[in-house]
Amino acid sequence: MRKHILIAILFLHYPTFAKESVLIENVTVVSSHLQGPLQKAHVLISDGRIKTVSSSNIKKTVDTQVIDGTTLYLAPGIMDSHVHVSSIPGMGFGVEPVAQKNGALAEDYYKQQPYSFLYYGITQVVDPNPGLEWTKFTSSKVHPDYYRCEVITARSTFPLVEKNDELSKSMFSYIVEQDVAETALNSPEKIVKRIAESGASCIKVYFEDGYGDESQWPLLSDDTLKRIRKSALPHKLPLVAHANALDMYQRAIDAEVDVIAHGLWNWGEFWRETEVSKPMHGVINQLMSKSIGYMPTQRVIAGLGELMLHNSHGIPEFSKVTPKELLEWYKQPSAQWFKEELRAGFDELPDEVIARIFLKDRMGKGNKILQTLTEAGYPLLLGSDFPGSPSFSNQPGLTTFLEMKAMADAGVSLVAILAAATINNARQFNIDKDYGTVEVGKVANLLLLKQNPLTTVDAWSHIHQVILHGEVFDRTDFAADTMANKALQQTSR
């Protein structure tokens, strides 16, 4: 009986058996290109793209799948432009010893991960550091559309410099040699050319000289950064910067990066301040004047703080996005290794004090910067940096939604959150011809929501159906704890 149920589900949802077109009738369209919601709209989808958006009835054929959208809201699918699909919450990038010792749990996680993103309506992702396991994500029969950066690092710079074993070092394929001629094998110019030929959509560089107040690591030289910048332009590869400290922000801005992929929560010499100082305003004004993309990534800090709280692995929402066996492992002493590292890094302070440092102090600083940009009307980018660290407090899909909630809590308007999650990301990564709005000709990666996302941010978690390249899925199809999801997993084996 169970076998027949699984086969029936596959016939309903596997693309080979999908209906030729989909017609959504009497739906309210919510999209950033509109002045306001378009009510009682009729939207026709065919061949994976939006064919018609009309206020008039649309003729349907016998092969058309019709959806009554009378009580629903049609929005673009969410784009998270900062995720790491090789990284396993609680284990790291899959190359750390803890992941190697728990291979079965890691594989179960990788099978579920694409569906977890879709469960929360994320239909496009950008992975700034793909690691070694990203093809497990893209080999799934059903997965969000995947775009990746490639990391340029030097042997003496972060992140390569902190890797101690050959497996971890093998994550990085583009190791630049500085102060060499353009014709040298690993010159900035040759490295950028190889990245472009690999099919990557962007380049990531790190502005990180040490964690916290430390500054032991060198950075890529100004000349190397200029050469990377110049070489990337003809290939239309955005330059994405890892930076979260004030001095690193200045270096990234001076290097003319396109995106800074973290919020500014490390205020350096102004760490005792509770408000944004004049010099810090100067840095933020430079960022705005150069139209550099800004990702708040508050869930990085929240995930660290929540890890230190009791039962941080017991959140009910986890059951929808995390395999049950992995949730059970989080309860074991062996899963607490990263929590122990945080304790050691804070000189064995009580867990609740460490949690408060992250959740109140550092998130508070990030929120102050976010509020400064919001008051200036500066467009934001939705990027969760999932999972942000080896913390298991951040889980796929859910973390993206919580990042949106964090933006709302900081005072970002629902209109701005909609744009950050859709059109702003698409424009920043040069894919707005295909994504970001509910318009004719665009890829039909869409969400049917039960609530209006311009009324409450919680609407983004009240998903009725997910439409991926014109294929319609019930949200429950993607949940980790449902029979339907088990069937989906069979298609990727």
Side-chain angles (χ1 to χ4, degrees):
M1 179 66 180
R2 182 175 182 270
K3 179 180 179 182
H4 292 305
I5 292 173
L6 295 178
I7 292 174
I9 292 170
L10 286 175
F11 268 76
L12 284 172
H13 290 302
Y14 193 69
T16 303
F17 306 104
K19 297 202 176 215
E20 188 171 319
S21 60
V22 176
L23 176 60
I24 307 170
E25 297 183 317
N26 297 307
V27 73
T28 299
V29 175
V30 179
S31 178
S32 290
H33 77 289
L34 300 171
Q35 293 296 316
L38 178 62
Q39 298 180 342
K40 296 183 179 180
H42 304 270
V43 179
L44 179 65
I45 298 167
S46 183
D47 297 323
R49 290 187 179 264
I50 301 171
K51 295 298 181 182
T52 309
V53 179
S54 175
S55 296
S56 303
N57 290 331
I58 297 174
K59 185 178 180 180
K60 49 185 173 284
T61 68
V62 293
D63 292 326
T64 303
Q65 177 182 358
V66 180
I67 297 174
D68 181 7
T70 302
T71 62
L72 301 173
Y73 298 84
L74 184 67
I78 295 168
M79 179 173 172
D80 190 331
S81 58
H82 194 160
V83 306
H84 298 287
V85 302
S86 286
S87 191
I88 307 164
M91 295 188 185
F93 263 85
V95 295
E96 288 81 357
V98 65
Q100 297 297 305
K101 291 177 182 178
N102 294 279
L105 290 177
E107 288 304 312
D108 284 347
Y109 169 80
Y110 284 132
K111 288 186 176 77
Q112 171 59 37
Q113 183 184 203
Y115 312 131
S116 297
F117 279 109
L118 290 167
Y119 182 84
Y120 273 95
I122 295 96
T123 56
Q124 301 90 241
V125 298
V126 177
D127 188 341
N129 185 352
L132 298 177
E133 307 291 355
W134 65 272
T135 56
K136 291 182 178 178
F137 187 90
T138 57
S139 64
S140 174
K141 293 291 185 181
V142 183
H143 62 81
D145 294 344
Y146 179 82
Y147 295 87
R148 61 180 167 85
C149 302
E150 288 293 349
V151 172
I152 296 181
T153 183
R155 296 190 184 281
S156 62
T157 65
F158 182 86
L160 183 59
V161 69
E162 73 162 354
K163 303 302 180 184
N164 298 316
D165 61 276
E166 293 305 313
L167 183 58
S168 295
K169 291 177 182 178
S170 68
M171 288 174 55
F172 305 102
S173 302
Y174 302 98
I175 303 173
V176 69
E177 292 183 20
Q178 306 189 72
D179 302 320
V180 297
E182 291 185 18
T183 55
L185 179 62
N186 290 321
S187 69
E189 293 78 13
K190 292 289 188 181
I191 290 281
V192 170
K193 185 174 185 292
R194 291 205 295 274
I195 289 175
E197 291 171 347
S198 78
S201 300
C202 43
I203 293 170
K204 185 173 183 180
V205 292
Y206 284 79
F207 294 82
E208 181 67 75
D209 61 358
Y211 297 135
D213 296 328
E214 297 180 354
S215 57
Q216 73 274 30
W217 297 320
L219 303 175
L220 293 175
S221 70
D222 291 344
D223 180 64
T224 297
L225 290 165
K226 287 178 182 177
R227 293 170 68 181
I228 292 172
R229 168 80 279 171
K230 182 179 179 181
S231 301
L233 287 173
H235 297 291
K236 298 182 179 180
L237 292 174
L239 197 58
V240 178
H242 164 103
N244 56 60
L246 184 62
D247 56 343
M248 297 296 100
Y249 255 59
Q250 187 64 67
R251 291 291 298 270
I253 292 169
D254 291 343
E256 298 185 352
V257 302
D258 297 292
V259 179
I260 297 182
H262 284 295
L264 177 53
W265 56 70
N266 185 341
W267 289 9
E269 62 182 296
F270 304 104
W271 68 275
R272 292 184 181 275
E273 302 287 340
T274 57
E275 300 295 333
V276 180
S277 65
K278 186 175 180 179
M280 293 182 66
H281 271 291
V283 172
I284 295 302
N285 288 338
Q286 289 179 59
L287 178 142
M288 291 191 289
S289 68
K290 294 188 176 185
S291 299
I292 296 173
Y294 183 87
M295 298 179 193
T297 61
Q298 287 289 68
R299 284 302 306 174
V300 177
I301 301 303
L304 294 170
E306 291 168 3
L307 181 66
M308 307 310 296
L309 300 177
H310 178 67
N311 198 34
S312 60
H313 57 272
I315 298 172
E317 289 84 355
F318 282 12
S319 66
K320 299 297 182 183
V321 295
T322 311
K324 182 178 178 181
E325 293 78 8
L326 187 56
L327 288 177
E328 290 298 316
W329 179 75
Y330 289 152
K331 302 175 185 177
Q332 305 305 314
S334 60
Q336 313 310 313
W337 66 275
F338 185 60
K339 183 183 289 188
E340 293 298 332
E341 285 190 6
L342 284 179
R343 287 175 179 143
F346 281 89
D347 298 324
E348 305 295 335
L349 285 174
D351 288 355
E352 61 271 17
V353 175
I354 300 173
R356 187 166 64 247
I357 289 171
F358 286 117
L359 296 173
K360 184 176 180 180
D361 179 58
R362 295 187 185 175
M363 278 194 73
K365 285 179 165 54
N367 280 339
K368 289 292 183 180
I369 302 298
L370 186 52
Q371 289 159 8
T372 298
L373 292 167
T374 297
E375 290 169 2
Y378 195 71
L380 304 169
L381 303 176
L382 174 64
S384 65
D385 187 25
F386 164 81
S389 71
S391 169
F392 49 66
S393 294
N394 283 333
Q395 294 292 326
L398 175 61
T399 299
T400 307
F401 170 63
L402 293 177
E403 182 72 29
M404 298 169 81
K405 290 200 73 170
M407 293 170 74
D409 291 342
V412 181
S413 73
L414 297 176
V415 170
I417 291 172
L418 167 65
T422 57
I423 190 59
N424 292 357
N425 270 337
R427 286 174 178 158
Q428 187 71 66
F429 289 92
N430 303 317
I431 55 175
D432 51 306
K433 71 179 189 307
D434 289 323
Y435 305 99
T437 55
V438 184
E439 291 185 90
V440 171
K442 296 204 174 185
V443 173
N445 284 2
L446 305 165
L447 304 178
L448 280 165
L449 305 174
K450 298 176 183 179
Q451 298 179 5
N452 186 350
L454 297 181
T455 301
T456 172
V457 72
D458 289 328
W460 294 105
S461 71
H462 288 80
I463 299 170
H464 176 61
Q465 289 174 315
V466 177
I467 302 173
L468 189 68
H469 287 264
E471 301 296 326
V472 182
F473 299 89
D474 291 337
R475 187 192 196 194
T476 54
D477 292 347
F478 301 120
D481 59 355
T482 64
M483 179 76 76
N485 187 54
K486 299 300 182 184
L488 281 171
Q489 290 188 12
Q490 296 299 316
T491 71
S492 62
R493 293 177 180 172

